């Protein structure tokens, strides 16, 4: 190797010196070097700017791809959540991983190469978060379902009026569905509501017996919560009102059919608060015919009876249980039915007009049997005129009775 190099150097020494190169004049082009440097610098800046623009463009494109990718991840998470929610799963993390891994890998592969690494990290983070969220929601839903089933058991016992059963279910959920510090107050509410339900059922099935039991009930068998107690009182009074109306209709039918009442029925009605002890005693007493003063008083009560159903029911019960012959009770009830077809104000005006004639002595001395009989005759005649011909005809008829005043001479007041 050294020998070869020595030969070449020797050869170089044997060659003649090279001739002079071509001479080029340089006048007028001495500033080209600075121009070249400026041009080179511009090209370099352009190249550098183009590179930065390309990188920025690539970053913007990648950002857009990742935004679309995040929406894709959300859709995948919702699909997996829906699928797993319908399955009985023991290992949630494993099941989620099995369902999500291939879908996430497919989604990442669809990204541009520059965005795949970021997409892979985003997919992993999102999958972990979505799995935890889905598991939490699943457990909350299962807990909610368990609480709903428990509450349904409590409510079912309450609605059945089973206070002990409702309390047992309540105790089973103490500390789980009901905080320990609220168990006692909730227990009182549950038992109170169950008491209302039990009484409500009894009122619907056997109203008379339930009303009697309610009136004789001990405090501990009634609702303890005031709102529940008020609700029950209102329902009891409503039931009693309906029962009184029903009883009035039954007694009226019995009077019309000339049928006597069973003593047991009257006694049960008294225990239920539908009849008073005086009404029951009167209904079972020996009947006596009406005296003139009592007859006028009964007809006046009928003619001036208010239009509300409660007042009419009370009057029906009074008439039906009065110690009168069945025929006279029937006549009064028939008069009450006729009075119901006339405006209360018209009935009241005519009744007061006739009473004023009596009190003024126009029919004779007040309290005299003849005057009382005359008043009764006018009452018997006046209401049918009012019902048949109207208030104007009844007013003319009453005025005609007034014009007959002075024909009566009072010798003695026999009213006791």
């Amino acid at each position: 190797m050294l020998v070869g190099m020595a030969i070449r150097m020797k050869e170089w020494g044997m060659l003649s010196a090279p001739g002079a190169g071509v001479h080029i004049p340089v006048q007028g082009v001495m500033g080209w070097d600075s121009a070249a440097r400026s041009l080179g610098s511009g090209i370099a800046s352009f190249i550098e700017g183009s590179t930065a623009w390309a990188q920025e463009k690539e970053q913007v494109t990648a950002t857009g791809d990742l935004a679309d990718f995040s929406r894709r991840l959300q859709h995948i998470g919702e699909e997996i959540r829906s699928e797993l929610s319908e399955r009985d799963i023991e290992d949630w993390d494993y099941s989620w991983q099995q369902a999500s891994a291939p879908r996430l890998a497919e989604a990442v592969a669809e990204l541009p190469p520059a965005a795949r690494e970021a997409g892979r990290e985003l997919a992993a983070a999102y999958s972990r978060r979505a799995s935890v969220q889905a598991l939490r929601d699943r457990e909350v839903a299962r807990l909610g379902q368990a609480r709903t089933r428990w509450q349904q058991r409590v409510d079912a016992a309450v609605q059945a009026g089973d206070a002990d059963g409702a309390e047992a279910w309540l105790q089973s959920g103490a500390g789980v569905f009901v905080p320990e510090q609220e168990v006692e107050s909730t227990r009182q509410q549950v038992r109170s509501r169950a008491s209302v339900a039990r009484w409500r059922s009894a009122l619907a099935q056997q109203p008379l017996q339930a009303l009697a039991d309610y009136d004789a009930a001990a405090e501990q068998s009634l609702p303890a919560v005031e709102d529940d107690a008020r609700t029950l009182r209102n329902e009891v009074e409503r039931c009693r009102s309906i029962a009184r109306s029903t009883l009035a209709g039954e007694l009226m039918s019995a009077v019309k059919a000339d049928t006597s009442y069973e003593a047991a029925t009257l006694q049960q009605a008294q225990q239920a608060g539908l009849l008073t002890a005086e009404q029951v005693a009167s209904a079972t007493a020996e009947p006596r015919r009406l005296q003139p003063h009592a007859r006028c008083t009964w007809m006046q009560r009928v003619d001036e009876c208010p239009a509300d159903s409660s007042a009419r029911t009370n009057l029906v019960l009074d008439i039906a249980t009065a110690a009168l012959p069945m025929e006279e009770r029937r006549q009064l009830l028939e008069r009450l039915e006729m009075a119901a077809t006339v405006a209360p104000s018209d009935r009241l005006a005519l009744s007061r007009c006739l009473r004023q004639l009596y009190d003024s002595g126009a029919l004779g001395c007040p309290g005299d049997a003849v005057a009382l009989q005359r008043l009764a005759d006018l009452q018997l005649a006046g209401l049918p005129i009012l019902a048949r011909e109207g208030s104007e005809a009844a007013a003319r008829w009453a005025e005609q009775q007034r014009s007959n005043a002075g024909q009566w001479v009072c010798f003695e007041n026999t009213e006791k």
Side-chain angles (χ1 to χ4, degrees):
M1 186 70 177
L2 293 175
V3 174
M5 291 180 62
I7 293 173
R8 291 190 179 90
M9 292 180 68
K10 184 178 179 179
E11 290 175 350
W12 272 104
M14 296 173 61
L15 295 175
S16 60
V22 179
H23 176 72
I24 302 176
V26 296
Q27 289 82 356
V29 294
M30 293 302 294
W32 282 18
D33 59 341
S34 60
R37 284 194 299 272
S38 296
L39 178 60
S41 176
I43 293 174
S45 298
F46 172 77
I47 293 174
E48 182 179 356
S50 298
T51 303
W53 178 81
Q55 292 174 348
E56 183 175 352
K57 179 181 178 182
E58 183 177 354
Q59 182 179 0
V60 170
T61 302
T63 301
D65 291 334
L66 290 177
D68 293 337
F69 181 64
S70 65
R71 288 190 289 270
R72 174 78 179 277
L73 293 179
Q74 183 177 359
H75 179 68
I76 291 173
E78 291 173 353
E79 284 184 342
I80 298 173
R81 173 196 288 255
S82 177
E83 293 173 6
L84 298 185
S85 65
E86 301 175 357
R87 294 164 51 186
D88 186 13
I89 298 174
E90 295 183 1
D91 189 337
W92 176 265
D93 290 337
Y94 175 78
S95 299
W96 183 276
Q97 181 64 22
Q98 287 293 105
S100 64
R103 304 183 197 190
L104 296 178
E106 180 182 354
V108 170
E110 294 175 359
L111 289 173
R116 289 176 184 171
E117 184 61 29
R120 192 174 292 108
E121 295 178 1
L122 179 61
Y126 179 84
S127 182
R128 286 192 299 270
R129 187 182 67 179
S131 175
V132 171
Q133 181 69 35
L135 178 59
R136 188 191 70 175
D137 292 347
R138 175 188 175 90
E139 294 303 319
V140 169
R142 293 176 64 179
L143 182 62
Q145 293 172 357
R147 190 189 191 289
T148 298
R149 289 193 295 269
W150 170 81
Q151 188 65 57
Q152 289 173 345
R153 300 295 189 278
V154 175
D155 292 343
V158 167
Q159 293 171 7
D162 183 5
D164 293 338
E167 183 176 351
W169 278 108
L170 175 65
Q171 291 296 339
S172 71
V176 180
F177 303 123
V178 180
E180 291 289 352
Q181 63 272 20
E182 298 179 8
V183 169
E184 180 57 28
S185 61
T186 305
R187 184 189 70 82
Q188 293 180 357
Q189 295 173 4
V190 164
R191 295 194 69 90
S192 183
R193 287 165 45 211
S195 177
V196 173
R198 181 176 63 82
W199 281 106
R200 183 180 291 130
S201 177
L203 289 169
Q205 295 176 9
Q206 294 181 315
L208 297 187
Q209 185 61 51
L211 289 171
D213 292 342
Y214 177 83
D215 291 339
E219 183 177 356
Q220 57 268 25
S221 66
L222 298 175
V225 178
E226 178 55 31
D227 287 346
D228 294 331
R230 186 184 307 109
T231 296
L232 180 58
R233 285 196 298 270
N234 292 338
E235 293 195 17
V236 166
E237 291 311 311
R238 183 163 52 250
C239 179
R240 200 188 305 276
S241 177
I242 295 173
R244 281 174 59 83
S245 178
T246 301
L247 177 64
E250 292 174 352
L251 295 184
M252 179 180 284
S253 298
V255 170
K256 290 181 178 180
D258 197 13
T259 302
S260 60
Y261 324 129
E262 293 185 3
T265 300
L266 297 175
Q267 190 65 31
Q268 187 180 31
Q270 178 186 344
Q271 293 174 349
L274 310 184
L275 296 175
T276 65
E278 291 76 11
Q279 287 174 320
V280 173
S282 175
T284 56
E286 187 69 23
R288 300 185 304 273
R289 296 195 65 83
L290 283 172
Q291 297 302 308
H293 182 269
R295 184 185 301 277
C296 293
T297 301
W298 273 112
M299 286 193 289
Q300 183 177 350
R301 284 189 63 187
V302 170
D303 294 349
E304 298 182 7
C305 180
D308 66 279
S309 59
S310 178
R312 185 175 185 277
T313 296
N314 291 337
L315 185 51
V316 169
L317 293 176
D318 284 345
I319 294 172
T321 58
L324 301 173
M326 195 69 74
E327 177 62 26
E328 293 189 347
R329 282 186 275 178
R330 182 162 51 250
Q331 290 173 357
L332 289 173
L333 291 175
E334 289 174 352
R335 184 179 184 87
L336 183 59
E337 290 182 324
M338 180 187 299
T341 66
V342 179
S345 58
D346 292 339
R347 291 189 278 108
L348 180 62
L350 178 59
S351 177
R352 295 294 171 83
C353 178
L354 297 180
R355 186 70 190 189
Q356 192 276 332
L357 287 176
Y358 169 78
D359 291 338
S360 67
L363 305 181
C365 291
D368 184 78
V370 176
L372 286 169
Q373 185 59 50
R374 180 59 178 164
L375 174 60
D377 292 341
L378 292 178
Q379 289 174 319
L380 285 171
L383 184 61
I385 293 175
L386 179 61
R388 185 175 58 251
E389 302 180 30
S391 59
E392 293 184 1
R396 289 194 299 269
W397 173 82
E399 187 61 29
Q400 183 179 358
Q401 309 311 311
R402 187 184 300 277
S403 66
N404 295 330
Q407 299 180 8
W408 305 94
V409 178
C410 181
F411 294 101
E412 180 183 3
N413 187 346
T414 60
E415 186 173 15
K416 302 298 183 182

